[in-house]
Amino acid sequence: MDRAPEPHTGWTFLTNHSRVLAAIAEDHTTRVRDIAARCRLTERAVQKIIADLEEGGYLTHVREGRSNVYRIASDRVLRHPADAPATVAELLSVLMRHEAGRPAAAVNPDHGA
């Protein structure tokens, strides 16, 4: 996708970190370029977010050929104390249910591990 992301001002309900994590949960082999297009971010912003998530212990990746395969630490507790004891898996369950437009089936954020 060659278009620049649409600018957005003001606050939103979801963070870019949660959007990127949800995109990875949907496809553990997705490319940074595809995450950026889906989340309406720059590739550089997505790379920074992935680095943040890895540094925080929420995400890891391994190289397979020319691609990355991501693994989400679904049992990790969300960062903000007000969100405790909610886990990444619980957050992704809500986000995936919203994406699918139907009640959540068995969401497996560790798929591809």
Side-chain angles (χ1 to χ4, degrees):
M1 178 173 239
D2 294 338
R3 296 184 354 206
E6 298 170 15
H8 180 274
T9 58
W11 63 275
T12 64
F13 283 99
L14 299 176
T15 67
N16 290 335
H17 285 65
S18 64
R19 288 185 182 99
V20 168
L21 199 61
I24 291 170
E26 189 172 286
D27 178 1
H28 288 268
T29 61
T30 189
R31 300 177 304 173
V32 168
R33 167 183 301 167
D34 297 329
I35 297 169
R38 173 182 170 162
C39 298
R40 297 185 178 173
L41 299 169
T42 64
E43 289 181 34
R44 187 173 182 157
V46 170
Q47 290 169 337
K48 170 73 170 94
I49 290 168
I50 288 172
D52 288 347
L53 292 169
E54 287 184 323
E55 185 178 311
Y58 292 91
L59 186 67
T60 57
H61 78 275
V62 293
R63 281 300 267 186
E64 286 190 7
R66 294 175 43 191
S67 302
N68 287 323
V69 176
Y70 297 97
R71 181 162 191 240
I72 296 171
S74 59
D75 60 337
R76 292 282 312 227
V77 175
L78 300 181
R79 289 176 45 108
H80 197 283
D83 297 329
T87 64
V88 170
E90 292 168 326
L91 171 66
L92 290 173
S93 176
V94 170
L95 294 175
M96 301 295 241
R97 183 172 54 228
H98 170 72
E99 291 275 325
R102 55 182 155 55
V107 174
N108 184 3
D110 287 323
H111 177 267

